[in-house]
Amino acid sequence: MNIILLGAPGAGKGTQAEVLNKDLGIPTISTGNMLRAAVAEGTEYGLKAKAAMDAGALVSDDIVIGILKDRIAEDDCKNGFILDGFPRTVPQAEALDAMGVKIDKVVEIAVDEEIIKRRLTGRRVCLKCGATYHIRTKKPEVEGICNYCGEKLVIRKDDQPETVIDRLNTYHEKTAPLKDYYAAQGKLATVQGTDSIPDTEKDILEALKG
Ligand code: AMP
């Protein structure tokens, strides 16, 4: 099953992708995590992507489509995958269609914007394995340390308050039109992302059956 999680930054796509990955036994593909790893490694496309990411803007479609295409060609994607953070523009969605990738379901996680702002500014991440935490709602077992790999947790540069506003504007302008795109294909389901993590997970699993 090929699934897209759609939603504003901070809607909980990454958190739900981690949970669903265990439920469904298919890998999560987060273009944001892949780009952050590329920036950390200083690869060619990492260097190209860094300025846009720091500013809360989108990385160019051709770079992101290229890395996504390579990733879904890997062996572990044979039985399906969960896309977190891709597509983020209509041309990216069209590129998936043009590659012949069949998307089974697109689940939008809807969250009120004020809640999103609070969530993003309290978020802490592990740059090594991509796990995400929150200082109030999803604390690590040891403060400031990743549960999975023991790495020190950090605040993402683009979770600074001014950048969060730019990211939300970018979402409305470039990504929100994907709701109509996938609704027209009969693939869109919307769940509320303000319940607890397990409740939202249950709603998503229910939506995937429909
Ligand atoms: P995320 O972790 O999904 O919030 O992504 C972090 C940043 O990476 C975004 O603000 C963009 O700058 C960039 N990015 C991630 N995925 C995409 C994408 N599909 N298209 C363009 N830029 C992306």
Side-chain angles (χ1 to χ4, degrees):
M1 189 175 214
N2 299 333
I3 302 163
I4 293 173
L5 294 182
L6 197 63
K13 299 187 299 296
T15 301
Q16 287 301 329
E18 275 176 41
V19 181
L20 291 170
N21 158 278
K22 294 187 185 92
D23 290 336
L24 305 172
I26 49 177
T28 293
I29 300 175
S30 158
T31 43
N33 283 349
M34 291 169 80
L35 288 165
R36 276 184 289 279
V39 170
E41 284 164 24
T43 65
E44 191 189 332
Y45 71 74
L47 293 175
K48 284 190 193 151
K50 187 176 186 311
M53 291 175 77
D54 285 350
L58 293 184
V59 174
S60 71
D61 285 338
D62 54 335
I63 292 183
V64 189
I65 290 166
I67 61 172
L68 193 276
K69 194 173 178 182
D70 290 347
R71 179 64 186 89
I72 60 178
E74 287 177 29
D75 250 16
D76 63 335
C77 293
K78 274 199 184 117
N79 296 324
F81 47 77
I82 304 161
L83 295 182
D84 159 23
F86 186 99
R88 252 180 162 101
T89 63
V90 170
Q92 290 178 17
E94 289 169 345
L96 270 183
D97 289 345
M99 284 176 222
V101 175
K102 186 180 165 288
I103 298 300
D104 297 291
K105 202 84 191 177
V106 179
V107 183
E108 181 209 359
I109 306 178
V111 178
D112 179 82
E113 202 142 308
E114 283 313 306
I115 297 177
I116 282 192
K117 287 179 191 160
R118 277 205 298 277
R119 279 187 183 178
L120 288 179
T121 45
R123 178 157 73 176
R124 299 294 179 269
V125 298
C126 172
L127 291 183
K128 191 166 173 200
C129 74
T132 58
Y133 301 86
H134 192 278
I135 52 171
R136 284 180 295 278
T137 54
K138 196 186 169 204
K139 296 180 184 176
E141 283 154 19
V142 179
E143 196 184 327
I145 302 293
C146 179
N147 291 350
Y148 306 107
C149 59
E151 192 80 0
K152 204 165 167 245
L153 301 178
V154 298
I155 303 177
R156 274 169 49 170
K157 235 186 193 155
D158 57 353
D159 281 345
Q160 306 295 336
E162 320 75 59
T163 317
V164 163
I165 292 176
D166 291 338
R167 288 168 65 204
L168 288 171
N169 289 338
T170 303
Y171 172 76
H172 290 303
E173 189 191 329
K174 304 265 176 62
T175 309
L178 288 173
K179 289 189 249 175
D180 286 345
Y181 184 91
Y182 286 114
Q185 296 186 1
K187 292 177 181 165
L188 184 73
T190 300
V191 302
Q192 291 306 313
T194 34
D195 295 334
S196 67
I197 294 170
D199 283 343
T200 304
E201 173 193 6
K202 232 187 284 162
D203 290 345
I204 295 177
L205 289 172
E206 200 52 45
L208 292 177
K209 288 186 200 153

